[in-house]
Amino acid sequence: MRIINQAEIRVIGCLIEKEITTPEQYPLTLNALTTACNQKSNRDPVTSMTDSEVLDAVNSLINDRLVTDETRGNARVAKYQHRFCNTEFGSLQLSKQEIAILCVLFLRGSQTPGELRTRTQRLCDFDNVAQVESVLNRLCSEEVSPKVVKLEKEPGKREARYGHLFCGEIEDSVVVNHTHTHSEQVNNDNGQRLDELEQEVTALRAEVAELKQLINDVLA
C-alpha cells in the first residue's frame, strides 16, 4: 500500500467511523462525507475541506481500490464506502479492536493508550488500558509492515503516545519540536517575570530614596 496523504486518511477514517456508528446512513454521499471530514467533534485537527477536495481524495482512493463507488441503478447521488481492510481481495485483515484504534488515530492523530480507550468506546469494547496496549503492541510489531509506532514520551506525561504509519514515518522531531516550543515558552515567561521584578525593584528603590530624603528634610 502506498503512503496516503492527510486528506485521504481523513476520508478513510470517516468512512470507517460511519460504517460502524451509523450503518443506516452508510455508504456515504459526497455531502455526508464532506460533513464527516469537517466535524468539529472527534477530529484533530478540525478541517474545512471543500466538496472538490474530498472528491479528489475519494477518486485517488478509488484508483487504489481503497474506496468504491456504490451508486446503484438510477440513483442520482453517488455513494462511497471504504475497502481499506477485511475484503476478499485485500491483504489487510484487522480485528474490530485494531480497526477502532486505527480509525481514531486517523481522525485524531497520535494518542496515548488511555485516550484511545476512551475515544474508541463508540467503535468497540476494551476491558482496560492494558488491553489497548496489547493491541497497539500487535500493530507495532508486525514484521513485514508495522501499522503503528510508539513515540517518545512527552515531558510531564505518564503515557507515551502512538501514531499510525499509513501517511509515512513519524519523525522524532514531532516530539522534539514540541518540547523545544514548550521550553521556549517557559524561557519567555521566565524572562518576562524577571523584567517585571527588575521594574518593581527599581520602583521600590526610588520610593526608599524619596522616604530617606523626606526623613532628612524633617530632621534637618
Side-chain angles (χ1 to χ4, degrees):
M1 185 183 296
R2 68 173 174 84
I3 292 176
I4 301 171
N5 66 36
Q6 294 295 333
E8 294 165 349
I9 210 69
R10 175 61 64 92
V11 166
I12 291 173
C14 289
L15 290 172
I16 293 173
E17 178 192 56
K18 299 307 179 184
E19 178 187 26
I20 299 171
T21 60
T22 56
E24 70 281 359
Q25 299 174 15
Y26 186 82
L28 299 183
T29 64
L30 177 61
N31 182 62
L33 182 54
T34 301
T35 299
C37 288
N38 296 332
Q39 259 182 228
K40 296 188 183 302
S41 61
N42 303 316
R43 303 289 184 266
D44 188 11
V46 173
T47 60
S48 56
M49 297 170 66
T50 64
D51 284 346
S52 61
E53 289 172 333
V54 173
L55 186 58
D56 286 343
V58 167
N59 287 333
S60 180
L61 292 167
I62 287 175
N63 290 336
D64 289 334
R65 299 182 180 179
L66 294 174
V67 167
T68 56
D69 184 339
E70 295 298 315
T71 309
R72 295 285 185 263
N74 295 322
R76 299 175 61 182
V77 179
K79 292 189 174 184
Y80 305 100
Q81 70 179 37
H82 77 88
R83 287 287 182 265
F84 176 71
C85 60
N86 298 351
T87 67
E88 57 182 317
F89 303 108
S91 60
L92 187 57
Q93 301 295 316
L94 301 171
S95 69
K96 287 183 179 181
Q97 291 178 330
E98 290 171 332
I99 293 171
I101 284 177
L102 288 176
C103 176
V104 174
L105 290 177
F106 291 169
L107 295 176
R108 303 188 69 157
S110 302
Q111 295 159 76
T112 66
E115 291 170 333
L116 286 168
R117 187 195 177 197
T118 300
R119 294 166 180 172
T120 54
Q121 288 179 351
R122 298 179 307 135
L123 307 175
C124 74
D125 294 323
F126 284 103
D127 294 333
N128 48 49
V129 174
Q131 192 175 24
V132 177
E133 292 175 336
S134 176
V135 176
L136 286 168
N137 289 335
R138 188 161 67 244
L139 290 169
C140 288
S141 64
E142 295 183 14
E143 294 182 2
V144 178
S145 57
K147 310 298 185 297
V148 169
V149 64
K150 185 176 183 179
L151 305 175
E152 290 184 20
K153 190 180 297 185
E154 291 183 290
K157 299 289 186 179
R158 292 191 302 173
E159 292 183 293
R161 295 176 303 132
Y162 290 78
H164 73 84
L165 294 171
F166 289 90
C167 292
E169 295 291 332
I170 301 175
E171 298 180 3
D172 290 339
S173 60
V174 172
V175 176
V176 173
N177 286 342
H178 176 83
T179 303
H180 287 172
T181 300
H182 176 73
S183 299
E184 289 169 1
Q185 182 63 46
V186 171
N187 289 336
N188 289 338
D189 291 343
N190 288 339
Q192 183 176 352
R193 291 192 187 98
L194 286 173
D195 290 340
E196 292 172 353
L197 287 172
E198 288 177 356
Q199 292 173 6
E200 290 179 8
V201 169
T202 300
L204 287 171
R205 285 175 176 170
E207 290 178 7
V208 170
E210 290 179 4
L211 287 172
K212 288 181 176 179
Q213 185 62 48
L214 287 172
I215 291 171
N216 290 335
D217 292 342
V218 170
L219 297 177

